[in-house]
Amino acid sequence: MLVSSLYRQLIIEQENQVDTHLHAEMQRYQQLALTVNRRSFAAQIKAADPKTALIAWKNSVDMVGALTFLPDDMPFLPETREFPIFTGGPDKLHILTGGLAMTNYGPVLIATRTDQLAILIDKFVNAAFWAVAFTLGLTLALGYIFSKAILRRLVQYNQLSEQIEAGHYNTRLPVTHQQDEFDMLAQQFNRVLDTLEQNLRAVRGVTDNIAHDLRTPLSHLRIGIEQLSQKPIEELADARAELLEELDDCLATFDAMLSLTRIEEGQQQLDVQPIHLTELCQDLYDMADVLAEAKEQKFVLHTPNDAVIQGDKYLLFQALFNLVDNAIKYSPEGSSIEITQDAKCITIADNGPGIDDEDKERVFERLVRLDPSRHFKGTGLGLSMVKAILSRHKATIELSDNHPGLVVKIHFK
């Protein structure tokens, strides 16, 4: 397209130059015929340089100029026509373009050589051909190299994908410094693999924790059922009650997991209503004050600034009570527990053992319990439930040290 445009532009420019040149010579000889006599006019035509313009005039006697006769059917300028002439030089045939100009002494042929234009066009076409051929060859070579590079990366991605399919989930796609589309795709795929590997670790952890937490009560149930037939009648009621309590603990774990899943997946509909955080914290204080008093703990509530949010009051109360219950449960007797509600921020601080920095994120995973001896009863799902409920309400939770103890901050949007 570019070569064709340049070619057309070259032709048009050359034609304009020829037309301009012929027009200027026509005006010059028309003016000359008005100012000199016939003899001087003929002398000027004989003296004309054929390299500039070929001038021929047939007077009443003979031809004057470079030609022996005028070509037939020559049009009057500005119309032009090509015609050949023969010379005695090495280039015997010349092609000229010209026309007749009417003067006071009759028509004068004015022409200029244009075969050089054809030579120029041939050179241009030849140069354009080789330029296009070179560009096409270079494009094909670069395209081949580029396609080989792409194919090489695709083969590498395919091999790595086969490793991932075989179960090597720690495999990652390479990322180069080019940051091209393949690198962006590899980065996105690696993030998916990170999430997948994290979820698989979580599933394995949950499976291990379920096996660890339920093995003991299920073993107790089996042993207890085997021993029922050996117990005297008066002890059967107490034995059945113990077995039912063990069974209820197992069922509570599964119920909590199902409830957590429904909340995380959005399957449980929220009963959204306006909630005054001051009233919610006051209800929380009234409910937990008895538990703190039983352990002779100092339980304090501060509510300097009220705030109203939209949410499910029952679920939020459940989440906050879980946090306060943990603070009371793990803090020693005589310790201090404070609840502070300031606008849309709720802080729960205690003087318990606290949580190590490396465990502050892990405690929100399912069935994770930092008490390996299981000294305190529980399912290990409480903080997971808290995190899920707060996430549904677009709230964030942050754990920090209280030196000693733990500070829990909840921010509502």
Side-chain angles (χ1 to χ4, degrees), residues 60-71:
S60 57
V61 180
D62 56 5
M63 284 293 300
V64 179
L67 298 180
T68 57
F69 64 92
L70 290 177

Side-chain angles (χ1 to χ4, degrees), residues 54-315:
L54 186 143
I55 309 298
W57 172 53
K58 184 174 177 58
N59 60 13
S60 57
V61 180
D62 56 5
M63 284 293 300
V64 179
L67 298 180
T68 57
F69 64 92
L70 290 177
D72 297 331
D73 302 327
M74 290 300 296
F76 282 91
L77 295 174
E79 298 294 328
T80 61
R81 185 172 72 84
E82 291 184 348
F83 61 93
I85 64 170
F86 292 94
T87 66
D91 298 332
K92 294 184 178 181
L93 180 65
H94 289 175
I95 302 298
L96 291 92
T97 299
L100 298 176
M102 183 56 67
T103 68
N104 280 349
Y105 301 120
V108 176
L109 175 65
I110 301 176
T112 184
R113 188 174 175 182
T114 55
D115 52 358
Q116 295 176 345
L117 173 61
I119 297 173
L120 177 63
I121 292 174
D122 288 341
K123 291 181 178 180
F124 174 81
V125 171
N126 188 50
F129 170 78
W130 287 110
V132 171
F134 174 76
T135 303
L136 183 60
L138 181 62
T139 302
L140 291 175
L142 292 177
Y144 176 76
I145 296 172
F146 184 68
S147 63
K148 290 290 289 184
I150 292 177
L151 182 60
R152 185 166 55 251
R153 295 180 73 176
L154 289 177
V155 170
Q156 184 182 20
Y157 287 0
N158 185 56
Q159 293 173 347
L160 294 174
S161 299
E162 290 176 352
Q163 295 182 19
I164 297 170
E165 185 180 5
H168 302 285
Y169 298 113
N170 59 341
T171 304
R172 294 294 181 270
L173 300 184
V175 179
T176 67
H177 65 281
Q178 299 174 6
Q179 293 298 311
D180 55 11
E181 289 78 4
F182 280 95
D183 290 324
M184 290 188 288
L185 177 63
Q187 291 173 346
Q188 181 63 33
F189 193 70
N190 289 340
R191 285 193 290 268
V192 173
L193 290 175
D194 291 338
T195 303
L196 175 62
E197 190 176 15
Q198 182 179 356
N199 291 338
L200 288 175
R201 284 199 301 265
V203 169
R204 294 191 187 102
V206 168
T207 303
D208 293 342
N209 288 329
I210 288 176
H212 188 279
D213 281 354
L214 297 184
R215 182 176 182 180
T216 299
L218 290 177
S219 298
H220 290 170
L221 282 172
R222 187 179 187 282
I223 296 172
I225 292 173
E226 289 179 349
Q227 294 176 350
L228 279 179
S229 60
Q230 303 173 6
K231 289 184 177 295
I233 297 177
E234 60 273 12
E235 297 181 6
L236 287 178
D238 293 337
R240 282 197 301 269
E242 292 178 1
L243 293 177
L244 287 174
E245 185 178 357
E246 293 279 0
L247 185 59
D248 288 341
D249 290 340
C250 295
L251 293 175
T253 299
F254 286 108
D255 288 341
M257 290 181 64
L258 291 174
S259 178
L260 176 58
T261 300
R262 287 195 296 269
I263 293 175
E264 287 180 338
E265 299 297 328
Q267 299 173 359
Q268 180 171 336
Q269 295 295 326
L270 301 182
D271 181 16
V272 179
Q273 56 182 297
I275 302 174
H276 289 267
L277 292 182
T278 297
E279 295 180 2
L280 184 64
C281 291
Q282 185 63 52
D283 294 341
L284 183 66
Y285 175 81
D286 295 339
M287 180 70 71
D289 186 44
V290 178
L291 301 177
E293 186 178 351
K295 293 188 66 174
E296 299 181 355
Q297 295 169 336
K298 182 181 178 182
F299 196 29
V300 182
L301 172 65
H302 302 286
T303 55
N305 297 302
D306 190 15
V308 179
I309 64 170
Q310 297 291 325
D312 189 314
K313 187 174 183 179
Y314 170 76
L315 287 179

Side-chain angles (χ1 to χ4, degrees), residues 304-371:
N305 297 302
D306 190 15
V308 179
I309 64 170
Q310 297 291 325
D312 189 314
K313 187 174 183 179
Y314 170 76
L315 287 179
L316 285 177
F317 183 85
Q318 178 184 351
L320 293 176
F321 185 80
N322 190 297
L323 294 172
V324 174
D325 183 56
N326 284 345
I328 295 173
K329 184 190 299 182
Y330 292 103
S331 296
E333 295 184 358
S335 59
S336 175
I337 298 171
E338 294 184 4
I339 301 176
T340 304
Q341 178 267 315
D342 189 4
K344 293 186 177 182
C345 178
I346 297 177
T347 305
I348 302 171
D350 62 55
N351 299 131
I355 299 177
D356 294 335
D357 291 339
E358 60 269 19
D359 294 326
K360 282 185 170 63
E361 288 298 326
R362 196 169 68 89
V363 293
F364 294 109
E365 299 176 6
R366 295 190 180 199
L367 299 173
V368 171
R369 299 179 65 183
L370 301 182
D371 176 22

